[in-house]
Amino acid sequence: MVGGGPGAGIAETHRTAMRLDDKFEIVSGVFSRDAEKSLFAAKKLGISRDRVYPDFVTMSEAESGRKDDRLDAVVIVTPTASHYEIARKFLQAGINVICDKPLCLKLAEARELKALVEKEALVFCLTHNYSGYAMVRHAARMVRRGDLGKVKVVQAEHASGWASRLLEKAGHPQAAWRTDPEVLGDASVLYDLGTHAHQLSRFVTGLEVTEVAAEMNQIVEGRAIKDNANLLLRFSNGARGTLWASMAAVGNEHGLRIRVYGDRGSLAWHHEDPHHLRYCPIDGAPQILAQGADWLSADAQRWTRVGLGHPEGFFEAFANLYTDVADALLAKADRKTYAKSDLSFPDVTDGARGVAFVESAMRSYAKGGGWTQVEAV
Amino acid sequence: MVGGGPGAGIAETHRTAMRLDDKFEIVSGVFSRDAEKSLFAAKKLGISRDRVYPDFVTMSEAESGRKDDRLDAVVIVTPTASHYEIARKFLQAGINVICDKPLCLKLAEARELKALVEKEALVFCLTHNYSGYAMVRHAARMVRRGDLGKVKVVQAEHASGWASRLLEKAGHPQAAWRTDPEVLGDASVLYDLGTHAHQLSRFVTGLEVTEVAAEMNQIVEGRAIKDNANLLLRFSNGARGTLWASMAAVGNEHGLRIRVYGDRGSLAWHHEDPHHLRYCPIDGAPQILAQGADWLSADAQRWTRVGLGHPEGFFEAFANLYTDVADALLAKADRKTYAKSDLSFPDVTDGARGVAFVESAMRSYAKGGGWTQVEAV
Amino acid sequence: MVGGGPGAGIAETHRTAMRLDDKFEIVSGVFSRDAEKSLFAAKKLGISRDRVYPDFVTMSEAESGRKDDRLDAVVIVTPTASHYEIARKFLQAGINVICDKPLCLKLAEARELKALVEKEALVFCLTHNYSGYAMVRHAARMVRRGDLGKVKVVQAEHASGWASRLLEKAGHPQAAWRTDPEVLGDASVLYDLGTHAHQLSRFVTGLEVTEVAAEMNQIVEGRAIKDNANLLLRFSNGARGTLWASMAAVGNEHGLRIRVYGDRGSLAWHHEDPHHLRYCPIDGAPQILAQGADWLSADAQRWTRVGLGHPEGFFEAFANLYTDVADALLAKADRKTYAKSDLSFPDVTDGARGVAFVESAMRSYAKGGGWTQVEAV
Amino acid sequence: MVGGGPGAGIAETHRTAMRLDDKFEIVSGVFSRDAEKSLFAAKKLGISRDRVYPDFVTMSEAESGRKDDRLDAVVIVTPTASHYEIARKFLQAGINVICDKPLCLKLAEARELKALVEKEALVFCLTHNYSGYAMVRHAARMVRRGDLGKVKVVQAEHASGWASRLLEKAGHPQAAWRTDPEVLGDASVLYDLGTHAHQLSRFVTGLEVTEVAAEMNQIVEGRAIKDNANLLLRFSNGARGTLWASMAAVGNEHGLRIRVYGDRGSLAWHHEDPHHLRYCPIDGAPQILAQGADWLSADAQRWTRVGLGHPEGFFEAFANLYTDVADALLAKADRKTYAKSDLSFPDVTDGARGVAFVESAMRSYAKGGGWTQVEAV
């Protein structure tokens, strides 16, 4: 693991997700740039001192050189800006990567990572964890098997209320870097939240976003960046839609939701109630599909640990990706290769598309709105 | 009443709304272009034969010439295309008008009607009936009294599923004219449904939509027009938002809803459950405000006939507008003038703004998207 | 109309319901025991002075003696305690009756009214208005056509929050008589609310409640009576259930709801959202049935005035009963007789069963709980 | 661990819960009566062969005799009928116990276990896991701090749909023993589900159930036992309520829910949406309290791992109990004693009360209904 020292919330989520299905063990890492903090974290995790490294370069070299007990994959949970160079280094060393989202901050870098992954036939998981929910998987399967007919309209939102106050001026570290104009700038809300909604709409529909028209504004006055974005979308099959990303939608919880309308049916999912899916066929009454029901797809059943009426949440969705990755790593170890199923963990290509999407949206906004092509990856 | 012969559903709604609070009586009319049908309808309504007219011109002249038992107002429930000439005629004759929405199909005509209303100081009600709901009134009051702080984002939808099938080819008369490229064309979905969402967002927020960027597409293949529109909005105070109008959102009921986010709170209302309003203050838990609760504004209380837990619906909302109009007519009769309160029935100016809005959206779409100014009225 | 002078809320509901479908006209009445108030009310309603009477005896005699423009029915909206003697008098005079609920306060009296109705083949409607909702009708049809299999469990509630405070000591007239130990006593909550839940469970299931076991307690301290009742129920087909009646369920709105579980499916309806019905078949996903949907039964369609997504509420449900009664009155006028359909307005037998139910519950409670037979009517 | 060999679902839940917060390690066990299966399970769990035992007696003796690496606690996940003898043995050996619910099947045995726990000052956790949910903890705190005033009515349900079909005749092992008249008999639905609802109502309100009146019936025809129970309840402070336990409520998911009405407010929680709580104060609008909100009690905050809008579910609630127990075990190890906080894991007393409750309900039913005292423990 690279990153994840004291105070790093997302690393703890990764570690909990790993433990849940008991398929991973952390054996090595750089947990902080501060050696003392890194050792402290390592000790808490029960990691042997000789596999704690001063920096990721040393780690990648030492670990790739080991004869036995080699790393199956490195987990990167540092802030976004460093993902590129860390991931590159490990990929070059032939080590599989599990990386927190978003992938990186430049399309060119994303393409480079993608090329490395492909060249080395490595496993690369980008933890857009919402793609791991059983009912998101089921939604994706329903679209693919034609339950909705042809997809026509997609309405995606990740409008969170988490930064509805000027937290960055009240000592909130995450708010500080996420609203720093020098770090992510106005694109922050799209990188942090917009890419989740983008990935969710791609994952559920199996379509690509080909063009965007973007508008941004500011909800919390005094903030150094825009904190709200509304986008129009055009999809690869001609469908249309909107995407709303916000960090300051007052009163919203996490605010991630998607509605997909085809010409034969529609479905709706929202993260506040992740174990249900509303499905409306054109010729019958709306239905509430619940995780664990007998008649769900194998994709949903695979990720239902207990059963109907036993809610699974954020950690379980995260764990689902990790277990998907474990399956891929085992397959690769066995056969020297692996074939990802059509509904599995998001990978480097998904990550690159997310970066291309944000770049296009920012170009549209910079030029005063209007349709802007999303570059291919 | 002009229009409303056999088979005219909306006229029956108007008549039911009139009866509900018992403030209006239909005494005269042209109910159909077909004289026989008109007389038949008149007879059913118990209207004296000598006040049934062959056409609206004759009616306006005869009725304006009466010495006693004069019309308080004419109700126009004909298809949209004829609203302009009928309304103009009655206004010129000095007769107050209650007109079904949308006002008309050209901004120039809308402005002419507006000028006539103002010149003659007449009462003109455009029956955007959703502005009559008690909880919509309360929402509008909450925004005006500052409960949400400064409005920042408005998300409005009127995405109905009513025409999710190719009804126009199955003998459905309303679908036929609403999807006829010669009648309303691609603008149909905006005139019919978009104007409701536009009016709702204006009524609730007290803001004007100043610019739009529009995209349209088609959900039901084989249809002669576009049946779906997604718009970005800019509001007069700098707020941003989206508006989704659709006649083919499969599985939706009426699909009218609004969410308003300020920097101190947010609220949400949807027509499928019109007697509740979700309100989220920035510093407390989300609340479910229910029609009839003790602590609601006078605006909501005025339109609550029974009380908490006794749902009122579509007819009652419609009746609320009629009773608002009755109050205005009585005030005018008394004092030769009347002052509309800030939250009352939509009028000719609201109607003109709706037309300007649709025209701007269609211009934006015609030029391939991009921001387009909504003309002042 | 007997009753319904100034301040009588329920009478205004009856009058609005009558106007809605325009099938009734009030032509005669005793609106108050106070002659002046009665005349005042009559004048407001536009009733000819010669058909305003000093008391119901005079009215029944005068009206039954008329040669023309005879009453089709009398509407009784006085407090419960006087229903019996007024209804009896009009029935004896051969006049059809529409009576507010509950029917009366003694089973013996209820039986006498029932005998009179049957002897004279009169129309008698008891306005348990919730039986008029389109989706309640649909629920009843679903049970009768076997969608739920055999009914096994019924959970009914009318747990309102209306009297959660000591309103009777704050000058609230309705609270005063409803909590007066001399008027209805502890049975008040069962007569006022329990009978609605009882009728709803009978109407929806088509079953009779044959035995009850009752427990009561007091929520609002200082109140002169019990304001809360929990009952166990046994039904005529062997089904079991509970009924909760409360006037002080803090935070509840009207609190009327029913859940019916069969061995092949279940359904749930609650009055806070009366235009939807949740239906769960044993072999598929739960469904949300909406008023106005194409695939609903004729029983629901008959009572859907506008259509999908156009909510109808309390007044429309009330009006549905009135229109049911109008149909019955017209049929009777035509053929000297009428046959009530299986899902129509509640009548004198339903009313008598409600009284028998309350009496049994009170007997069970008086003897310290335990199963008590509901007497046949 | 005792029990939890191949196919034992609940044991896997216990193990996942242990891993989640990483406070427990399984080091020893009897996983099956079949030695081969037991060894197989042990191997999968990475347990040293010398700490796998042929039976629980051998295990308790061997483990209690160890000098180092002693067991902190034994986890009992066998079928209910064997809980008593296994728990007794380990308690006698001075080993803390974590036991799946219900505690046992006879009050006398429950009292014996309780006496042993108290005598030895041992930690005993009964995994009524729903008491672990953050919002259940918050509900319990709200009641204790007086937000609802005096509790007056409690409506509890655990009406699951899991056995709506005759699963026991279709080879479903859990259904087979749960509907076997020789194992649990008619009391099964109360032991399995009723005790959860009973514990939830006690945990949330802080009250005891002092009397019950019970009725049972059968939903699934052909089943060997009753599968549905409706109970009236009397609580220690005079409150009243009902409890519905069912294994065949068609269309229900897990069906666990509670509503508590006080004279100053009410609250509602249901397991299908465990991260929200509906709270209605008497003098304001109903509120939706969400896990992770800033203003929740420390009790809720303690059990919120990520934050607002990041749903936690069944495993997390289970893990919460385990972590509560870890705290208790650590405190005990430190100070040779421990003080359980008022809102912590359910213990042997809770378990004994559950058994007393079921016994009383069965006595009430056996005598044809009527109030029956719940014996003190």
Side-chain angles (χ1 to χ4, degrees), chain D residues 113-171:
Chain D
L113 295 178
K114 181 170 184 288
L116 276 170
V117 169
E118 286 165 3
K119 185 178 146 212
E120 308 287 343
L122 293 167
V123 173
F124 191 108
C125 168
L126 192 78
T127 54
H128 273 301
N129 55 300
Y130 307 103
S131 301
Y133 275 103
M135 297 311 288
V136 169
R137 294 281 170 100
H138 187 67
R141 182 59 61 210
M142 289 181 74
V143 173
R144 278 159 185 76
R145 74 189 185 197
D147 294 7
L148 274 65
K150 195 170 166 189
V151 171
K152 293 290 189 171
V153 179
V154 180
Q155 306 284 26
E157 300 182 3
H158 201 165
S160 165
W162 82 272
S164 296
R165 297 159 178 284
L166 211 52
L167 300 176
E168 59 268 41
K169 304 225 166 133

Side-chain angles (χ1 to χ4, degrees), chain B residues 115-282:
Chain B
L116 276 169
V117 169
E118 286 165 3
K119 186 177 145 211
E120 307 287 343
L122 293 167
V123 173
F124 191 108
C125 168
L126 193 77
T127 53
H128 273 301
N129 54 300
Y130 307 103
S131 301
Y133 274 103
M135 296 312 287
V136 170
R137 294 281 170 100
H138 187 67
R141 182 58 61 212
M142 288 181 76
V143 174
R144 279 160 183 74
R145 73 188 184 198
D147 294 8
L148 274 63
K150 195 169 164 189
V151 172
K152 293 291 188 169
V153 179
V154 180
Q155 306 285 26
E157 300 181 4
H158 200 165
S160 165
W162 81 273
S164 295
R165 297 160 178 283
L166 211 52
L167 300 176
E168 58 269 40
K169 304 226 166 133
H172 188 295
Q174 190 165 102
W177 75 264
R178 286 201 188 280
T179 62
D180 185 338
E182 303 302 315
V183 180
L184 299 169
D186 287 342
S188 176
V189 69
L190 288 173
Y191 273 121
D192 184 29
L193 303 170
T195 54
H196 274 311
H198 172 253
Q199 164 66 15
L200 187 61
S201 59
R202 294 175 58 248
F203 187 83
V204 169
T205 66
L207 302 172
E208 294 303 330
V209 176
T210 55
E211 286 173 88
V212 301
E215 173 70 347
M216 305 192 84
N217 70 320
Q218 189 181 67
I219 292 175
V220 179
E221 296 182 5
R223 179 156 282 165
I225 59 164
K226 305 292 182 195
D227 51 14
N228 191 75
N230 282 293
L231 279 64
L232 297 178
L233 307 179
R234 286 177 174 163
F235 287 85
S236 46
N237 77 336
R240 296 296 187 265
T242 66
L243 186 150
W244 178 26
S246 186
M247 62 172 81
V250 179
N252 279 19
E253 296 185 21
H254 205 41
L256 179 68
R257 55 196 302 244
I258 187 165
R259 293 175 291 167
V260 180
Y261 292 81
D263 58 7
R264 301 290 307 159
S266 65
L267 58 78
W269 179 85
H270 62 118
H271 187 246
E272 268 72 34
D273 178 22
H275 25 283
H276 293 101
L277 190 64
R278 185 180 173 101
Y279 165 57
C280 305
I282 197 170

Side-chain angles (χ1 to χ4, degrees), chain A residues 19 71 87 141 230 293 304 354:
Chain A
R19 285 196 301 270
L71 282 189
R141 181 59 61 211
N230 283 294
T304 300

